[in-house]
Amino acid sequence: MPVLVMKFGGTSVATLDRIRRAAKRVGREVANGYDVIVIVSAMSGETNKLVGYVGETSPLYDAREYDAVVSSGENVTAGLMALTLQEMDVPARSWQGWQVPVMTTSAHSAARIEEIPTDNIMAKFGEGMKVAVVAGFQGVSPEGRITTLGRGGSDTTAVAFAAAFDAVRCDIYTDVDGVYTTDPRIADQARKLDKIAFEEMLELASLGAKVLQTRSVELAMRYKVKLRVLSSFEEMSDEAGTLVCDEEEIMEQNAVAGVAYSRDEAKMTLISVADRPGIAAAIFGPLAEAGVNVDMIVQNISEEGRTDMTFSCPIDQVARAEKAMDEAKESGEINFREMVADTNVAKISIVGIGMRSHAGVAAKMFSTLRDEGINIKVITTSEIKVSVLVDRKYMELAVQSLHDAFELEKA
Ligand code: ASP
Ligand code: MG
């Protein structure tokens, strides 16, 4: 039998009634002739609650016990989903990560899946079981301890199972009906995309679109897993949702597929650093060692041998960045006059594989922002994206005007 992976997010299993509705969808896919692997998240709000318990009990917690606690939400929904399916006369059983076993690294709370042996579950399918319900987000380390995969990790569990079992598709059921050209809460013109390329989805996910965990898209791209994002609250149909797929499968390609934003960025500037060979290494080496995720970098033209160096990083890493730079200054590795943090910025990005073949996309972005009177503070580009930092108060305006300028409301 062909294998289908179906993943249900927290809102889709938030109550017993919703679990029943999800189970009905699973039942229909079984009737369509699939052996189904169902990956479940915890009921919505549950993981946050568990994370809160851990923090209250032990501020400097042991990461292994954190994982033991926060992985438990998925155990509940896996068991309940299996019971619900059994009540509907669908042969099903639940599996916790360690039972499969989902083998991961020992990086607790951010583990990576290393291997998923298929023999246990395939043997059960061979005996007539129709649905394997697997607790998402969790695995087991080489030391035999329970691990978790980072917030949103059930998406990655689902894609990893689809790859391991060579599934026909991986359907991700969530509370939105697909991937949009931008956040509909900001631009009401936002349009649901029927298809989006892996590369575009990867950029959008890492630039702030929250529909899929970035890691899951990386995996899907690497193993060519057909991913579909769809709502568990709408009627089932073959065209529902958004298909994340190879770019070859997308016929028409706009230059820009979507606009992403993130309000979690900060801009840091080191004023008056000596411009000499090795200065970038002397700055960004210590930042990397301190675990600061630097994204954009600009070095100004130097005057009399001194220059300003600007970079962006997540807002919650500003303190860490400042500490690393102060230490580097004290040790004499670098020398700057002042360090300025601007935490009132937002990053706006346009993304599209069509940029590879369309000229003038960046220029159009810049003139659109100019026409709105929005000043650009930092720019970065890649083959398929252009990102700018702007004052946070212009975030909505920037997203809306770019969405209009690139006519993303039109297919
Ligand atoms: N329950 C976990 C979380 O909230 C994993 C997931 O739902 O994907 O992060
Ligand atoms: Mg999620």
Side-chain angles (χ1 to χ4, degrees):
M1 292 284 185
V3 172
L4 179 69
V5 172
M6 302 172 78
K7 182 254 171 178
F8 293 95
T11 50
S12 307
V13 292
T15 62
L16 297 184
D17 194 49
R18 288 195 185 166
I19 292 177
R20 235 171 271 130
R21 284 167 61 171
K24 274 191 201 142
R25 285 180 188 270
V26 176
R28 263 179 278 175
E29 297 293 14
V30 170
N32 286 339
Y34 293 112
D35 282 342
V36 181
I37 298 177
V38 173
I39 309 292
V40 286
S41 286
M43 291 174 164
S44 61
E46 207 53 36
T47 308
N48 285 341
K49 194 177 89 186
L50 296 168
V51 170
Y53 285 162
V54 171
E56 259 183 64
T57 308
S58 170
L60 292 174
Y61 53 77
D62 173 347
R64 292 163 295 197
E65 301 305 345
Y66 168 98
D67 279 352
V69 176
V70 303
S71 63
S72 65
E74 274 73 9
N75 297 344
V76 174
T77 42
L80 289 173
M81 176 63 81
L83 286 172
T84 308
L85 287 161
Q86 289 172 4
E87 286 298 318
M88 292 165 40
D89 291 325
V90 178
R93 70 156 270 194
S94 71
W95 306 72
Q96 296 182 6
W98 65 273
Q99 293 175 303
V100 175
V102 178
M103 325 256 280
T104 73
T105 61
S106 1
H108 285 276
S109 84
R112 282 179 171 241
I113 295 175
E114 303 253 83
E115 208 196 325
I116 300 176
T118 57
D119 37 336
N120 278 337
I121 288 177
M122 284 315 271
K124 286 287 171 195
F125 280 144
E127 290 166 21
M129 183 189 70
K130 285 283 143 204
V131 184
V133 185
V134 179
F137 179 51
Q138 53 171 266
V140 60
S141 74
E143 294 77 30
R145 302 294 306 256
I146 305 300
T147 54
T148 63
L149 310 179
R151 299 306 305 269
S154 297
D155 295 336
T156 299
T157 306
V159 173
F161 270 81
F165 285 81
D166 205 10
V168 290
R169 211 175 53 241
C170 180
D171 285 344
I172 306 273
Y173 285 91
T174 175
D175 51 0
V176 292
D177 60 353
V179 180
Y180 277 72
T181 49
T182 195
D183 186 342
R185 287 168 303 186
I186 290 197
D188 50 18
Q189 302 264 57
R191 176 175 55 87
K192 183 176 79 74
L193 295 159
D194 293 330
K195 289 183 177 179
I196 187 165
F198 288 126
E199 285 93 336
E200 292 170 332
M201 192 64 236
L202 190 57
E203 289 283 7
L204 289 175
S206 54
L207 290 168
K210 299 216 159 58
V211 55
L212 288 171
Q213 198 196 33
T214 306
R215 179 94 188 100
S216 72
V217 185
E218 263 168 31
L219 266 189
M221 184 157 104
R222 169 134 39 102
Y223 293 102
K224 301 223 180 290
V225 170
K226 257 193 198 170
L227 252 186
R228 195 163 63 141
V229 177
L230 66 174
S231 162
S232 60
F233 303 102
E234 287 192 358
E235 271 313 299
M236 267 173 111
S237 87
D238 285 344
E239 279 82 53
T242 301
L243 191 68
V244 189
C245 58
D246 244 6
E247 60 185 270
E248 283 81 52
E249 291 182 52
I250 303 175
M251 305 296 276
E252 299 272 344
Q253 193 61 57
N254 289 339
V256 174
V259 183
Y261 65 90
S262 157
R263 60 181 104 228
D264 309 322
E265 303 289 314
K267 170 172 150 280
M268 314 281 292
T269 304
L270 293 172
I271 298 175
S272 188
V273 288
D275 191 6
R276 56 167 173 81
I279 187 63
I283 292 171
F284 295 104
L287 287 171
E289 265 162 48
V292 177
N293 287 313
V294 172
D295 177 27
M296 311 165 112
I297 298 174
V298 180
Q299 180 179 349
N300 287 18
I301 286 182
S302 67
E303 225 175 283
E304 287 163 18
R306 315 223 32 113
T307 184
D308 296 343
M309 189 77 88
T310 299
F311 60 89
S312 73
C313 69
I315 215 163
D316 56 6
Q317 295 178 0
V318 167
R320 228 188 282 172
E322 285 174 336
K323 184 160 171 270
M325 289 298 90
D326 285 339
E327 284 170 6
K329 188 177 182 180
E330 265 162 44
S331 73
E333 276 170 73
I334 52 173
N335 173 338
F336 54 89
R337 194 170 71 224
E338 204 187 338
M339 177 156 187
V340 184
D342 180 354
T343 52
N344 267 311
V345 293
K347 182 168 67 179
I348 315 291
S349 310
I350 54 173
V351 172
I353 49 178
M355 273 182 216
R356 290 189 199 129
S357 50
H358 288 73
V361 174
K364 185 165 178 178
M365 178 184 202
F366 303 151
S367 62
T368 303
L369 296 174
R370 175 202 60 206
D371 293 346
E372 299 294 341
I374 301 172
N375 188 34
I376 299 171
K377 301 180 158 215
V378 184
I379 302 169
T380 49
T381 66
S382 80
E383 214 187 358
I384 66 160
K385 79 155 192 220
V386 185
S387 297
V388 296
L389 276 192
V390 300
D391 271 332
R392 175 128 14 100
K393 65 178 180 225
Y394 294 126
M395 191 180 83
E396 276 90 355
L397 179 61
V399 170
Q400 288 157 359
S401 57
L402 291 169
H403 198 275
D404 284 347
F406 287 102
E407 303 187 342
L408 300 190
E409 72 283 359
K410 292 187 198 150

